[in-house]
Amino acid sequence: MTTLRLILGDQLNPEHSWFKRVDPECLYTLMEMRQETDYVLHHAQKIIGIFAGMRALASQLESRGHRVQYLHISDHDNTHSLEGNLKALITKHQCTKLEYQEPDEWRLDQQLSTLCQSLSIPSQMVSSEHFFTERLETAELFKAQKQWLMERFYRQMRTKHRILIDATKKPEGGQWNFDHENRKRWNGAPPEPIDHSRRHNHSRLWTEIENADIASFGEPQSHAFRWPLNRDEALDDLNRFIEHVLPNFGEFQDAMSTKSWRMFHSLLSFALNTKMLNPLEVVQRAENAWRQEKISIATAEGFIRQILGWREYIRGVYWFRMPSYQESNTFAHDTELPKWFWTGQTKMQCLSKSIGQSLEYAYAHHIQRLMITGNFALLAGIEPSALHRWYLGIYIDAFEWVELPNTIGMSQFADGGLLARSEEHT
């Protein structure tokens, strides 16, 4: 009696309830597949980061006594498709049940749902135990509304989860939103993030990736690779951010400077979106910093709004609007993506800097994405789906559930205004 449990590349949470006890009848599997590397052209650091993170989790689970079947990109028995690999493992290990955590992407959700219907053994989808909301909870909240106002959703989330709420159920600081206080200019150099590249040598993994003929772009291995590959490293990043960077995040979250590639942004999005970190613990750390008088209420609220508000709201839009949402193109834009989006070689300085930084670090903060590359694409009439694929590939934290609505709705207005934000900040 063997239960096969699938762990996807963005489900790298060693704290999931699956792992609370060692069950010899459970076999965990993680897979490096061409199916996932090839559906868009990915930044080299994104491929390295996800593969290395998967390998780190597999090693951790094995050290705890769990049974793990890991498929490397170079393994001869790797079919490079989710369906092919799962069927082969089920046969090889005579599995009597398949379990998987709910995927975050519609594409994988449909693939697994279809596969499970064809299997002769029972299957079960369980929660990933990550988000504040269920997939369709946001849609239920807005089912009678013409516009999905993020501010309304955000206030409900704050109240429901008792975040920055006083004893009378009113917002701490007397107002819900302090955005108007968080738009200052910055001159100087913020503290540098932890450089995790010193702890890891990715040369062997990169050789495997190259030998598998996986296409990629961007800088693969340099001083630029600084992303965490396991929960302990992600917690180090969180601690450093809360203590040394967050105090200035609020006021300068929209600022840009050629002196800094990250300004005061947390760089936690990769760890969050691969589930090394839980959004609740991140939000609580920020709230506690305010209660300990280490940061202002405006800073705490501005940071928390991005996670408890926008991140959950965007996910709700994604699951309600898919699959047709990815084809949205209200303005019928059809211009091809310029070739310099892949090189950064343009005379437009702001675009050259933003894209060059993205190629080096696999990262740019929201103003660079939305206001610079996004605004250019909108004004130039770039095909929204082409821009979506570029964003999805170039950024290490870009997964479709969060990237697609931000691109199609927030950046390109290609959905005809379905994605809306309230201007009620009182």
Side-chain angles (χ1 to χ4, degrees), residues 34 169 318 320 333:
R34 293 295 298 262
K169 298 184 179 180
Y318 175 81
F320 182 70
H333 286 168

Side-chain angles (χ1 to χ4, degrees), residues 14-15 55-66 230-231:
E15 304 295 304
R55 294 183 182 195
L57 178 62
S59 178
Q60 183 177 9
L61 293 179
E62 287 182 323
S63 70
R64 293 181 183 180
H66 296 285
N230 57 58
R231 178 167 167 79

